């Protein structure tokens, strides 16, 4: 792309819109909603999927004819936009790798600490004005299995290790000699690892291979009294199986930040499942996160306009940015 040629950046928007002031005079920024997306895709050079909760791209992506040469999503996951036509063509896809990792790791660490120290129980007893002394758990010396060896999983594992937790990191395939975790375990080794974990954290991408990864067999394989956290994608978890494991007392607690259906319907049984913490897909959203996402996109636009390689290019067959 020539620097002197004004390109068209199409933004699949949400409120508030991104701050793209640095593109003034360099690109024509056009917004679209799900109803107008299909028509406007054919005249766009770049698509910014700012509304990363939308599935509209999957239905609107052109099978033939003009289409953007680059799609960027303001999220770590790309499952909401990848469709057969987009996977098959030569359009580059990039994601927001680098923005959410540490905030999500801190969120997971906060949940683990809250469950170990029974902060929810303290709040509930305070609400009832009841003074009841009890013992809580020491976090150091416990063991976690973190599923997902990408940047988010690695940040989660590193943060838990700093709290004295031993960590097994699980990825798609086994890798030895990892500078932080020694051996990254293969996904095929997950089931036996679950039985030794006090904390199981799911931070995996959603692919055909990982959909429904945590179902009845996985929860049954976990140690009685263990805790489970999902900050990956909702469909990674069989929510009915998780509810059964919590209500039956096999798991001591769990926390979900992502769900099969978002927003979570008011009549979902998850709201009132004992031992379950529900949060509305906010684990990576810290103050200033929208500005950070916009800056990341514009930085990559600079590379694109200069004909340089883009950062965070997704392997569309795998469904994520490969580990270097």
């Amino acid at each position: 792309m020539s620097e002197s040629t004004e390109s068209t950046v199409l933004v699949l928007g949400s409120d508030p819109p991104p701050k793209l002031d640095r593109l003034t005079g360099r690109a024509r920024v056009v917004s679209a909603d799900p109803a107008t997306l299909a028509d406007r895709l054919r005249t766009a050079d770049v698509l910014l999927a700012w509304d990363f909760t939308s599935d509209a791209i999957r239905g609107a992506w052109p099978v033939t004819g003009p289409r953007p040469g680059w799609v960027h999503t303001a999220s770590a996951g790309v499952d909401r936009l990848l469709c057969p036509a987009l996977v098959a063509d030569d359009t580059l896809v990039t994601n927001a790798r680098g923005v959410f990792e540490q905030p999500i790791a801190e969120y997971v660490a906060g949940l683990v600490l809250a469950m170990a120290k029974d902060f929810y129980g303290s709040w509930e007893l305070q609400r009832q004005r009841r003074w009841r002394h009890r013992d809580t758990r020491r976090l150091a010396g416990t063991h976690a299995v973190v599923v997902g060896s990408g940047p988010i999983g690695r940040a989660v594992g590193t943060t838990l290790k700093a709290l004295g937790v031993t960590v097994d990191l699980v990825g798609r395939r086994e890798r030895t000699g990892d500078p932080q975790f020694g051996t990254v375990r293969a996904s095929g080794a997950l089931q036996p690892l679950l039985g030794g974990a006090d904390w199981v954290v799911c931070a995996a991408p959603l692919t055909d291979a990982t959909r429904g990864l945590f179902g009845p067999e996985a929860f049954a394989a976990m140690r009685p009294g263990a805790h489970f956290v999902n900050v990956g994608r909702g469909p990674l978890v069989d929510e009915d199986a998780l509810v059964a494991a919590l209500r039956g007392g096999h798991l001591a607690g769990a926390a979900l930040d992502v769900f099969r259906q978002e927003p979570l319907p008011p009549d979902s049984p998850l709201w009132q499942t004992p031992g379950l913490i529900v949060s509305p897909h906010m684990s990576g959203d810290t103050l200033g996160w929208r500005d950070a996402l916009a800056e990341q996109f514009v930085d990559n636009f600079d590379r694109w306009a200069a004909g340089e390689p883009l950062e965070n290019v997704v392997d569309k067959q795998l469904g994520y940015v490969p580990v270097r």
Side-chain angles (χ1 to χ4, degrees):
M1 183 71 186
S2 170
E3 188 70 50
S4 61
T5 302
E6 186 178 72
S7 56
T8 299
V9 174
L10 180 63
V11 180
L12 177 58
S14 63
D15 190 33
K19 295 180 180 178
L20 302 177
D21 298 345
R22 283 170 50 197
L23 298 185
T24 301
R26 305 171 57 204
R28 186 171 69 100
V29 178
V30 179
S31 63
D33 58 25
T36 60
L37 180 63
D39 287 339
R40 295 182 181 178
L41 275 173
R42 298 187 180 278
T43 60
D45 299 295
V46 178
L47 172 63
L48 169 57
W50 188 251
D51 182 2
F52 52 81
T53 66
S54 173
D55 296 319
I57 296 170
R58 296 175 63 90
W61 191 259
V63 176
T64 60
R67 81 284 307 277
W70 167 35
V71 175
H72 178 80
T73 180
S75 65
V78 295
D79 51 279
R80 287 190 177 274
L81 60 93
L82 287 184
C83 58
L86 177 52
V87 171
D89 69 24
D90 57 1
T91 296
L92 292 174
V93 175
T94 58
N95 73 352
R97 177 175 176 169
V99 174
F100 296 111
E101 289 85 339
Q102 192 54 38
I104 291 176
E106 292 170 3
Y107 201 85
V108 171
L111 288 169
V112 169
L113 279 166
M115 289 188 283
K117 304 304 178 184
D118 192 25
F119 289 160
Y120 179 81
S122 293
W123 179 87
E124 180 60 25
L125 288 167
Q126 177 182 342
R127 189 183 67 82
Q128 298 175 18
R129 302 189 181 195
R130 293 174 58 199
W131 181 277
R132 184 165 68 83
H133 182 275
R134 64 215 184 278
D135 297 335
T136 61
R137 191 167 193 176
R138 181 177 178 177
L139 194 58
T142 60
H143 181 70
V145 170
V146 178
V147 183
S149 61
I152 293 175
R154 295 184 69 86
V156 169
T158 299
T159 303
L160 291 179
K161 286 179 68 175
L163 295 171
V165 180
T166 61
V167 176
D168 274 319
L169 188 65
V170 178
R172 187 170 61 93
R173 66 183 191 279
E174 183 173 305
R175 301 194 301 274
T176 58
D178 187 273
Q180 292 173 291
F181 300 96
T183 298
V184 177
R185 309 291 183 177
S187 57
L190 176 60
Q191 290 290 102
L193 290 173
L194 292 175
D198 301 290
W199 317 97
V200 177
V201 181
C202 181
L206 179 61
T207 67
D208 290 341
T210 61
R211 188 178 297 273
L213 181 64
F214 284 93
E217 290 186 6
F219 291 127
M222 290 173 60
R223 172 186 294 175
H227 293 74
F228 175 76
V229 177
N230 184 22
V231 290
R233 282 290 186 263
L236 295 166
V237 175
D238 181 333
E239 293 171 354
D240 294 336
L242 176 60
V243 169
L246 288 165
R247 287 183 172 169
H250 182 68
L251 297 184
L256 298 179
D257 186 56
V258 288
F259 304 87
R260 286 182 304 193
Q261 182 178 349
E262 296 181 7
L264 189 64
D267 61 351
S268 170
L270 295 172
W271 291 110
Q272 295 183 313
T273 298
L276 178 62
I277 298 172
V278 169
S279 59
H281 204 149
M282 58 180 282
S283 60
D285 300 349
T286 53
L287 296 174
W289 66 280
R290 293 180 180 85
D291 291 342
L293 287 172
E295 284 295 309
Q296 181 188 57
F297 170 73
V298 175
D299 287 346
N300 233 3
F301 181 89
D302 292 342
R303 298 182 183 91
W304 181 78
E308 299 174 355
L310 298 179
E311 295 286 337
N312 297 349
V313 175
V314 172
D315 183 318
K316 293 187 288 185
Q317 296 295 331
L318 294 176
Y320 52 85
V321 179
V323 177
R324 295 175 181 174

